[in-house]
Amino acid sequence: MTRTVNGTAEAVPPEAGIHTEVTSAVVIGSGLTGLAVVSELNRRGVESVVLDGLAHDSQPAHVPVTDSAGLPGRAELLRLLHGYATGHSLDIRRGTAVQAVGLLRGSKIPAPVTRTAVKWAVRTPEGLLLADAVVLAGCGRPAVLKLLRSLGFTAGAERRKSLRSAGLYVVGAGEAVTSSTRELVRQAKRAGQEVAQRGAAFDSGSGVWTGSA
C-alpha cells in the first residue's frame, strides 16, 4: 500500500492480519476533556482519532466537579464541543476501549515508512492504531499511573518532560475532584498546541489497511 505524506507517496508495510490505521494523534477519553483536546487538534490541522478510554479504567475522570461555571455552564460547554465534533466530522469512536498502549520501538510491529516518526501503537478490539502522539484525556489516575509504569516512566520532576519528548500527554488524569472546567480546558488546549508543534499533522487520505496473514 502507498499513502501520501506531505505530498509524497511512500510505501507503508502493514502488520500481518491486523486491521491497522495510521494517524497523527490518538486521544484516549471521549468525555469533556477528550472533546476539548480533539477540537484543539482539529483547529490546528492535526489528524486524530478519539477512543472511549482505557479498557481497565475503573475511575475515569470524564466530568469535573462543580466549579465557578456551575453545572449549566459545563453542560453548555459539552454541548458546544459535541456540536463542533459533529459539524467537523471528527473521528470519535465511542464504545471503543483501548486494550493496550505501547511504544513501537522494540516491538515486532513494522513502522510505516513516512517522514513523520510514528512512535506509538494503540490496540483496540477492532485493530491497531499507529500514531506519533497519544493524549490520555480524563482517564482515571490509577489506570494512568499503571500505564506510565508499564512504559517505564517513573515519578519525578522530569517525568512530564520525558512524556512530552516521547509524544505522550496526560490531561486531567484523576483531577476531576480538584480541577475546574476552565483548568481542564486550558490543559486540553496546551496539549493540542504541543502535539501540533511536534509537526504531527499530515495528509493521510483514508489511512487504513488490512494486512494479510
Side-chain angles (χ1 to χ4, degrees), residues 161-186:
K161 182 178 179 180
S162 298
L163 292 176
R164 290 173 61 190
S165 178
L168 183 61
Y169 302 84
V170 180
V171 179
E175 296 178 356
V177 296
T178 60
S179 295
S180 66
T181 301
R182 179 175 295 179
E183 171 60 17
L184 290 177
V185 171
R186 187 189 70 80

Side-chain angles (χ1 to χ4, degrees), residues 70-145:
L71 287 172
R74 189 161 66 243
E76 176 63 11
L77 174 59
L78 191 58
R79 185 188 70 79
L80 291 173
L81 289 171
H82 277 299
Y84 183 91
T86 300
H88 290 80
S89 301
L90 302 186
D91 193 347
I92 299 174
R93 305 180 188 184
R94 292 186 176 84
T96 300
V98 173
Q99 297 174 323
V101 179
L103 285 162
L104 277 177
R105 185 180 59 203
S107 74
K108 296 181 180 180
I109 302 169
V113 181
T114 69
R115 291 182 185 175
T116 302
V118 178
K119 293 181 172 60
W120 293 95
V122 179
R123 192 174 293 274
T124 74
E126 286 74 39
L128 198 67
L129 281 160
L130 305 183
D132 179 64
V134 171
V135 183
L136 301 170
C139 302
R141 184 175 179 81
V144 169
L145 291 178

